[in-house]
Every structure is written in C-alpha cells, then in structure tokens.
Amino acid sequence: MAKWTDDAWWTSDGPRTLPDVQNLASSSPPPATRTWRASKTPIKELDEPNESGLFDFMNVDQRQGLLLDPEFADAIALGHIPDQEDLRHLPARLAIAGFIYEDEGTVHASWDEAISDVECQSCGSWLEGIAWVISPVLEQAHEKKCEHYIANFEIGRSFLKNFYHTLNGPSDIRVLTVLPGLRGQPVECLLDTTLLETAGEYTSLSYMWGDPRERRTLFLNNNLWLVSRGVGDSLDRIRHVSESRRVWIDSLCINQLDMEERSRQVALMRDIYEQSVDCVVWLGEFPSGQSSTNGPQVHWQGDERDEELIDTCLSILGRQLNDEENLAGALCLLWWASRDTHLFDMPLFRDPVLLQSWTLHYLKALCWMLSRPYWSRVWIVQEVAVSRQVTVYIGRFTMPFSLVEKAVANLGVHLNGCCQDWMSSTLPPAFSDVIPDLVNAAFSILPLRQIRKKWHDPSFQHSLTLPRLVMSTCSRKATDPRDKVYSLIGLVKDWNSQPPFQPNYTKTTSQVFSEFAAWLLSQDLSYLIFAPTSQRLMRELPSWQPDLSATSSDDHACLQMIRPALHLFNASQHHKSNFTVARGRQKQCLILDGIKIGTIEATSKPFELWPFPDLSEVIPSSANNYHPTGQPWEQAYWRTMYLDVTGDGTSGSSLRRLSETDIARIMQDWTRYQRSDDTGAGLPTWSLDPLVISEIHHKTVFRTESGYLGLVLGDVDVSDEVFLPLGSSIPFIIRRGRRDEVEGHEEVECHRLVGWCYVHGIMDGELVGGLDNEEVGRWFLE
C-alpha cells in the first residue's frame, strides 16, 4: 500500500511533486490506473468491501471515511482532478469531498458525462440534475427508492461529518482563514470554529457556484478539496499577498450534507453578513480569460478620486481589442452614469473616433457585466442588502457597490428618457441591439438598491414582509428551490405578531412549499395570487400552492402587476377568511367559503399593446350602460383594462385608483393611438408610464353570464367560473376538476385555481354589502 510523504504526491507511477502534478494537464495522457490521494496523513490497509460493494477507507489520524472502488484498490480516488480530461483515467466510482457518483464500473469519457443526470445501473432509477448538487438528487433518490445511491450518499455524509466538527452552540460558526499567496498559486485555507459574537473581523463572500463542470481545487486544513469555479476563483482573487484574510463562505463554512446544521446556519446568515466588515461580490473573471493574470488589482472608489484613473483609462483606450480594455471602458461608462452624466456628455460618446470604432465594445462589456448570472440569484438579495459595506470584484477590477447601484438607477432614466432622442439621431444602428439589453440589465439590479435602502432605514424596515419579498424575487434563481423562501427570511424583522417561517432542510421541497402556502393564507387569503404559474414544474403540488421552482417571466409580471395594487381593493370588506386544509386521495385540498360571481360566457383573444383585440363578442354593441355599476360601457371597459389603477406618470410611483379626469384623458390618448399608422408614434408620454402599460400586455377580457366584465392574465376558457373567497380582497378564476374523496367529507366536486382577476363593479365590496349565509358556498380547491 502506498504511503504519503510531506513534499510529494503519490501516484501509481511513484511520488511526484506538486509542480509535476500541475503540469500533467499539458502532458500525454497518464496510464489508466493513475489516481490521486487527498490527505497528508498516513493510511492503513483496506478492509473488506461493505454491503454496497465499496471499500470503507479510514484515515488513521482524522478518521475520515473515504470510498474506493475494488478494481482500483491500489490507488485512492478522492478529491483532486488536475484536468477535466484526466477524469477518463479515474475510477468510475469515486468520492469527491463526499459527493458520490456511482455507475457500476463504467469509465466515463468526459467530465460532462460524469456529473450530469445520474442513472443507477443497479435498479434503473434515473436521478435528474447535477450529481454534486446533492440535496435535490438525494430527494429524488428517496422518492424513487434508489437505495444504492442513498447508501453511497450516507457514506459520503459520514466523511464530511468527521471532517466538520459539530457546531454545538446556537451561535457557533466556522470561519475560513485564507493564507497569503500570489495569484495563480495553490489556495491554502484553514477552517476553525468560533462564536459569531466574538468572531472578530472577517469578510463575507457573495458569489454564484457557476457551471458544475468547471471545478478547482484548494487545500482545506491540509486536505485537497474540490470546489466550484466560483469559490476557487474568488478566493484566489481576494486573498492577500503577505497576510492572511479571514472569510465566511457558505459552501466551505457549512457542512452542506448535514441538513440540521444547514438549517441552523441559514437562520444565522443575516447576522453573519451584517456583522462582516465587508461583503465581497464576485462576478467572475473576464469572458475569455484574456486578463493579465498576475497584474495588480485596480480599485475604483466611486467618487472624485477616480478622475485620475479615468484619465489613465482614456489614454489607453482604443489601442487594442481585449477583455481587459473593454471592461476598463465599461467601468468608465459606469462611473459617468453614477455621476448622472448624459450620454452625449461622456467622452466615449463625444469622441467621433472612439464612437465609431470602440465605444460599442465598451457598451457590450458593460452589458455583459450587468447581465452576469450572479445578479439573478435569489440569495444575493439578503447578502447585499444587510451588509454594511459591499465591494464588487470582476477580474482584477474592484469597485464599491454604491457605484453600481447609482449607475443603474441613472442609466434607466437616461436610456429611457432624456437621452433617447439624441441616441436615435446620433448613434450608429449597431447600438440599437445593445441598448435594450442594457436597460433590462439595469432594471434587474435596481431592486437590490431599493431593498438595501429599505433595510438600512428603520422607518422602512416594516415594509420588508416575506410575502412582498417572495413576490418581488420570484423570477430569481436558486440551486435549491427551497431557498426561494429560506434566503429571504432574514430580511424580515417584523413578523406582525405571527410565528416566523423557519428554514428546515430536512423537509422536502414539496413540504416546504405546502407549509409556505398555508402560512401565506393565514396572513391574507388574497395571497392565493402566488399559486398560479404558467409552467408548473412540480406536478405533485395542488393548484392553490405556489410552485416557486418555476421562474417564468410571465408569472413574475403577473405578481408584479397586482402586488402594488392589492391594498387598493377590498372585495370582501369586513368578512374574515375561513379555510381549512384536508387530505384528498392524491393532493391536499383547500376548503374555503366564497361567493360565485358568475360563469365566463365570452372572452377576447389574449392581446398585446397593439393591435387591439376584437371585443365585439365581449362588449354588447346595443348596451349603453354597464349594468352592475350604471356607468357607460366605454368607461367600464377602460377602468377594467387599467384595473382601475394608475400611477402619477413616473416609473416607480405609488398607485392610486383612477379618477374621472384620468378616464377622460385615457380615452382621449388611446383614441389618438388607435388612429395612428405608426404603432408607437401616437402614444403620449403619460400613457407610457410602465405602471400603466404593464396592465395592458398579455391579457384577456371576459364577460360572465351575469353581466360582469373582467380582466385576467393569459388564457381562460368559456365555462370557467369567477368566485370571491371570503377574506380575499380580489376575486379568482377557477376551473371544474374531478370529484374527490376529501378527508372529513363525502365525495365532493373539486376545482383548480386558474388565476386572479379584476372584475369591474365588485372590487370595493359591492357584492358582499348585504350578503346572507345562503349566498355563501363551500368550495374545494385541489
């Protein structure tokens, strides 16, 4: 059996030094038996394989459980893969820091093949997803009763349990000490346990795990450790040259396979980030890696101190086309935008030579930076919001987040407003392909600024409720769908005398979403608006429970449309909600009291802003007045189209109900628009308020047999029913489902929730004013 020496790596060919191992990527393929070991402590002889056909290898000093394939018993496969191509020379059954992939001895030909969807060759279960994202895959393994994968997982968990000493106290955390080193040298770290209250100074890291096919290695407590590219690159960049740096990073400081520890640590993450002296946002390296690897860091300050740096950049821009120069130009644009500078006053747009040949490349680089996948992660909302100081790293450039947030706020105003005419008349046509993407990128970052501002202003902290936060972030992404809720809990300080929602990773995703739905409805029955999604990924969930794993932009638009206006409606008036949850044969059933408003008998086709739909089948041509309110049909129609709500004409303004003056102006504006040959020329500025225009896209107008006019997002069917759950401020569309045996009831007729809707003439409680008990029905939603 092989032994380890302090200054060498052992391979089947004998000892090699670390530089030799690092050079293997460029050498000829090694023999098929070459594998690597991952611990610097002596080893003992192997015992017999366990019942899963794997060897349990125990490290004599630290008792770390490793996995070995019997076919390669003379070598250890754990942790280190010098190059992706070398994977074909490793055993097909290997353990990487406790993350196991097993396929009954088949040697994979590519890295992608080894970490994509997993099929257990013993029982045929197909476990979708990435093997190293262990929780969702393990959940599927339990659901499909794939005991082979579960057995391997448990051995891997045992390995990490022995490596990570148990955190006993409620405020115990681990902090990583990154030892000094030069860029590109192996990253060495030490992990120790401390109390959060006495942790001292440390930096918190906010990053994204990145493509699971791109991995790096580092030394963790003298053990070789395989980490994501985001972790490896960020630690390589932020470490100091001559002194250690203390860092908190979730993937290394939390035992990710201990679900109870993970639950406790996630509950502490707000305090961990809030207490850190600095939060580093890692956006990654340059697109094609052309940056000067060992060049010094370039620090932007976000104020007048950057003027000298701007002059330096201007003196070198326009010389050569590479990532580093393009990003330098992009950061100049970002700095000017943070100073609220018009585009036509920025030197890169004013200089005709730069404008014709170079500025477009800098603008594309800025768009690339502001469109990094990092900005779409749900976890960063809390991480950025609560941190005292936030520094953004991209390649070897750093800048305060305050520079970025000021710039994106100003870019939206300039690109959509004061600089529009100048851009149309001056910029070359190629710019028109980039500007819209830049606007979208800026608007996607803007909510971070707003939430961060509210968090640090005690007078606004009460507005950060969990329902509002989940609504505003529902299109963001999370590796673990449960984090669409758990990542936001720390931002809530006022739970309004209600028990807070607690993270618990021992529960499945379905359980978490189900409990979140019940918690939401206990706050307000109007929160049924969360449930409908155009693309439900979790078919096991009933229609009234939200599927937060879906990130459809249409669903996000639907929630964003109704969320700011929800408090303006009061369809149930003083009536309180009365609901229970019971078990059906297949799914949980929501039982609630409500009123049927009517059955849909006519609909328009779903329509865009232009052309307007044919409403002849929806609006009676002979009718002068809208019967439920006595208003003229035309006025009822426009109030319905706008949800009877508008802003004051500025983006981000608070909403209010429409006045008679508003209606007159809308009718005048839209009459002019319909007569226009150019589908944009006739739109007046007032009607372009995003809070108004968003109400017009992708909608369907409907009429019930009882004469009510309504608006719903997306498609509805004739014979769908409109009903008002008592306790909800808005009505909903439901569709007849199957009959089901519901716990505590005889066989009942169930309905599926389709979506929320606006119904003109009932939104202020007109329908429930003189309500008697005979008009209230019992409804079952499956």
Side-chain angles (χ1 to χ4, degrees):
M1 197 63 196
K3 303 293 182 182
W4 174 265
T5 59
D6 288 338
D7 60 350
W9 294 73
W10 180 87
T11 74
S12 57
D13 294 334
R16 286 181 179 268
T17 61
L18 182 59
D20 288 331
V21 173
Q22 291 176 322
N23 290 332
L24 280 175
S26 58
S27 64
S28 57
T33 56
R34 173 171 291 147
T35 52
W36 313 98
R37 58 173 303 172
S39 177
K40 287 188 175 182
T41 49
I43 58 179
K44 68 173 184 177
E45 297 294 330
L46 297 175
D47 296 322
E48 292 297 314
N50 60 26
E51 62 275 9
S52 300
L54 300 176
F55 281 94
D56 290 327
F57 175 78
M58 302 303 292
N59 183 300
V60 172
D61 289 350
Q62 299 180 0
R63 305 292 293 174
Q64 296 173 358
L66 314 182
L67 299 178
L68 295 175
D69 190 298
E71 185 179 353
F72 298 90
D74 62 336
I76 301 170
L78 175 70
H80 181 64
I81 301 175
D83 184 82
Q84 293 181 9
E85 289 300 315
D86 282 340
L87 186 64
R88 69 185 64 194
H89 306 295
L90 292 178
R93 185 181 293 143
L94 66 150
I96 302 175
F99 302 138
I100 302 97
Y101 181 82
E102 177 186 3
D103 70 350
E104 296 297 312
T106 301
V107 177
H108 287 279
S110 70
W111 174 256
D112 178 71
E113 202 178 335
I115 59 140
S116 58
D117 297 349
V118 181
E119 182 179 11
C120 178
Q121 299 296 325
S122 299
C123 68
S125 295
W126 189 259
L127 309 176
E128 299 174 357
I130 304 303
W132 65 272
V133 184
I134 215 70
S135 297
V137 177
L138 181 66
E139 189 174 308
Q140 294 177 63
H142 278 289
E143 290 173 357
K144 298 178 181 181
K145 296 180 173 54
C146 176
E147 299 297 337
H148 311 89
Y149 188 91
I150 295 170
N152 276 4
F153 171 82
E154 294 302 331
I155 299 173
R157 179 153 58 185
S158 174
F159 163 75
L160 286 188
K161 183 178 180 180
N162 282 281
F163 180 84
Y164 285 107
H165 298 297
T166 303
L167 297 176
N168 295 314
S171 62
D172 281 1
I173 64 169
R174 301 184 186 92
V175 177
L176 194 71
T177 299
V178 185
L179 302 181
L182 296 175
R183 164 76 178 156
Q185 291 181 342
V187 177
E188 297 186 64
C189 308
L190 301 175
L191 198 61
D192 62 89
T193 302
T194 182
L195 289 174
L196 177 59
E197 298 84 352
T198 58
E201 293 189 352
Y202 62 89
T203 294
S204 56
L205 197 58
S206 180
Y207 67 104
M208 62 173 294
W209 285 40
D211 190 335
R213 289 169 292 189
E214 299 180 11
R215 310 301 292 268
R216 287 193 56 171
T217 53
L218 52 79
F219 287 102
L220 185 61
N221 288 0
N222 290 326
N223 292 282
L224 199 65
W225 210 258
L226 193 67
V227 296
S228 72
R229 180 71 178 268
V231 173
D233 286 351
S234 59
L235 293 178
D236 194 3
R237 277 289 185 189
I238 71 171
R239 62 177 163 170
H240 299 311
V241 174
S242 58
E243 59 183 17
S244 298
R245 185 170 190 175
R246 301 181 76 234
V247 174
W248 190 91
I249 178 171
D250 60 348
S251 61
L252 296 177
C253 294
I254 299 176
N255 181 355
Q256 297 291 332
L257 298 192
D258 185 336
M259 299 307 161
E260 292 182 357
E261 176 186 306
R262 189 174 165 193
S263 302
R264 294 193 301 269
Q265 291 289 291
V266 164
L268 285 175
M269 280 180 65
R270 178 190 71 190
D271 298 330
I272 291 172
Y273 277 86
E274 195 173 23
Q275 188 170 308
S276 65
V277 295
D278 183 25
C279 173
V280 166
V281 167
W282 174 247
L283 295 183
E285 296 291 350
F286 299 148
S288 58
Q290 296 174 343
S291 61
S292 176
T293 302
N294 295 315
Q297 295 285 101
V298 179
H299 302 284
W300 292 74
Q301 307 297 327
D303 53 30
E304 293 81 359
R305 290 172 291 177
D306 293 330
E307 291 177 353
E308 184 177 346
L309 183 54
I310 292 280
D311 292 337
T312 301
C313 289
L314 289 175
S315 68
I316 63 171
L317 293 180
R319 293 183 180 180
Q320 55 183 335
L321 197 63
N322 59 45
D323 286 341
E324 187 160 310
E325 181 172 312
N326 289 345
L327 195 56
L331 294 178
C332 289
L333 295 173
L334 196 71
W335 188 85
W336 286 317
S338 73
R339 313 290 288 178
D340 205 14
T341 308
H342 291 293
L343 266 67
F344 47 77
D345 287 333
M346 296 180 184
L348 293 183
F349 286 96
R350 212 168 49 225
D351 186 317
V353 176
L354 287 173
L355 181 60
Q356 290 297 323
S357 304
W358 301 96
T359 303
L360 181 60
H361 296 291
Y362 308 147
L363 206 62
K364 286 181 177 179
L366 179 59
C367 190
W368 173 84
M369 172 186 166
L370 299 181
S371 303
R372 299 295 295 142
Y374 169 86
W375 300 114
S376 66
R377 287 183 59 241
V378 69
W379 264 113
I380 72 167
V381 176
Q382 176 181 251
E383 295 165 356
V384 170
V386 306
S387 299
R388 287 179 284 176
Q389 177 177 305
V390 182
T391 304
V392 179
Y393 278 63
I394 181 166
R396 65 190 188 99
F397 294 109
T398 75
M399 69 216 73
F401 178 70
S402 58
L403 186 154
V404 178
E405 62 178 351
K406 289 176 185 176
V408 296
N410 294 333
L411 276 173
V413 174
H414 286 277
L415 296 176
N416 268 345
C418 55
C419 295
Q420 259 192 332
D421 291 341
W422 175 84
M423 290 189 298
S424 300
S425 61
T426 307
L427 295 182
F431 281 78
S432 62
D433 295 332
V434 181
I435 297 297
D437 292 338
L438 187 58
V439 172
N440 290 336
F443 278 123
S444 70
I445 298 174
L446 201 53
L448 290 178
R449 170 184 171 90
Q450 296 164 344
I451 294 175
R452 178 171 167 81
K453 186 176 181 179
K454 289 179 179 178
W455 172 262
H456 290 279
D457 186 342
S459 62
F460 284 99
Q461 284 184 348
H462 69 278
S463 66
L464 295 175
T465 65
L466 188 58
R468 288 182 181 178
L469 288 166
V470 174
M471 281 188 207
S472 62
T473 61
C474 64
S475 64
R476 292 183 175 271
K477 296 178 175 60
T479 301
D480 187 331
R482 294 171 291 187
D483 289 334
K484 298 292 284 289
V485 179
Y486 290 164
S487 66
L488 302 168
I489 291 174
L491 287 169
V492 182
K493 282 197 170 181
D494 182 5
W495 290 91
N496 196 25
S497 302
Q498 297 291 327
F501 200 77
Q502 296 288 355
N504 186 345
Y505 287 96
T506 64
K507 296 180 178 178
T508 67
T509 303
S510 298
Q511 287 176 315
V512 172
F513 287 178
S514 178
E515 291 180 7
F516 178 62
W519 183 89
L520 278 175
L521 299 183
S522 70
Q523 315 296 306
D524 187 344
L525 208 55
S526 305
Y527 289 147
L528 282 169
I529 61 174
F530 277 88
T533 53
S534 58
Q535 298 176 340
R536 291 184 77 83
L537 302 180
M538 301 181 65
R539 301 294 182 183
E540 67 272 23
L541 293 176
S543 66
W544 58 273
Q545 292 180 1
D547 180 2
L548 298 177
S549 62
T551 55
S552 166
S553 58
D554 286 342
D555 299 330
H556 183 247
C558 179
L559 278 175
Q560 292 306 302
M561 188 172 72
I562 191 60
R563 179 182 63 86
L566 204 56
H567 70 284
L568 298 177
F569 304 124
N570 188 20
S572 290
Q573 285 193 351
H574 60 277
H575 292 275
K576 302 300 182 183
S577 62
N578 178 28
F579 74 90
T580 57
V581 177
R583 188 72 199 173
R585 279 181 298 210
Q586 295 180 351
K587 297 179 179 180
Q588 286 184 317
C589 186
L590 179 66
I591 309 169
L592 69 172
D593 294 338
I595 309 168
K596 180 177 178 178
I597 299 170
T599 301
I600 294 177
E601 69 172 10
T603 72
S604 71
K605 293 182 179 179
F607 58 93
E608 302 287 337
L609 183 64
W610 184 271
F612 261 50
D614 179 9
L615 299 177
S616 59
E617 294 186 4
V618 180
I619 300 178
S621 58
S622 60
N624 293 322
N625 292 328
Y626 178 64
H627 175 69
T629 64
Q631 297 169 318
W633 258 102
E634 190 175 21
Q635 184 175 143
Y637 165 73
W638 282 111
R639 287 188 182 274
T640 301
M641 293 290 283
Y642 277 72
L643 304 185
D644 202 21
V645 166
T646 189
D648 62 7
T650 60
S651 178
S653 61
S654 59
L655 297 182
R656 57 177 174 79
R657 298 295 286 271
L658 288 171
S659 66
E660 294 295 329
T661 303
D662 294 330
I663 288 294
R665 189 172 183 181
I666 289 172
M667 292 166 62
Q668 180 183 8
D669 288 343
W670 284 93
T671 298
R672 185 186 312 130
Y673 177 50
Q674 286 178 289
R675 292 173 179 171
S676 172
D677 293 331
D678 184 340
T679 56
L683 280 172
T685 301
W686 182 81
S687 293
L688 281 173
D689 177 7
L691 294 168
V692 177
I693 293 298
S694 64
E695 315 300 345
I696 308 301
H697 287 191
H698 313 293
K699 308 299 186 294
T700 300
V701 178
F702 64 84
R703 189 186 76 245
T704 69
E705 97 291 346
S706 51
Y708 283 102
L709 186 69
L711 187 74
V712 64
L713 184 76
D715 294 307
V716 289
D717 295 337
V718 171
S719 76
D720 283 347
E721 298 177 39
V722 186
F723 101 117
L724 174 65
L726 286 184
S728 171
S729 58
I730 58 173
F732 291 84
I733 306 286
I734 56 177
R735 185 168 296 159
R736 289 180 182 272
R738 53 187 171 79
R739 299 189 66 82
D740 195 4
E741 294 178 2
V742 177
E743 183 181 4
H745 300 266
E746 297 179 357
E747 189 176 73
V748 296
E749 182 179 57
C750 294
H751 287 75
R752 288 188 292 115
L753 190 65
V754 175
W756 63 266
C757 62
Y758 172 91
V759 178
H760 190 60
I762 69 107
M763 303 302 288
D764 295 313
E766 297 92 333
L767 200 63
V768 300
L771 189 67
D772 58 51
N773 292 334
E774 293 182 359
E775 297 177 82
V776 179
R778 178 66 47 93
W779 300 79
F780 297 81
L781 299 185
E782 63 175 359

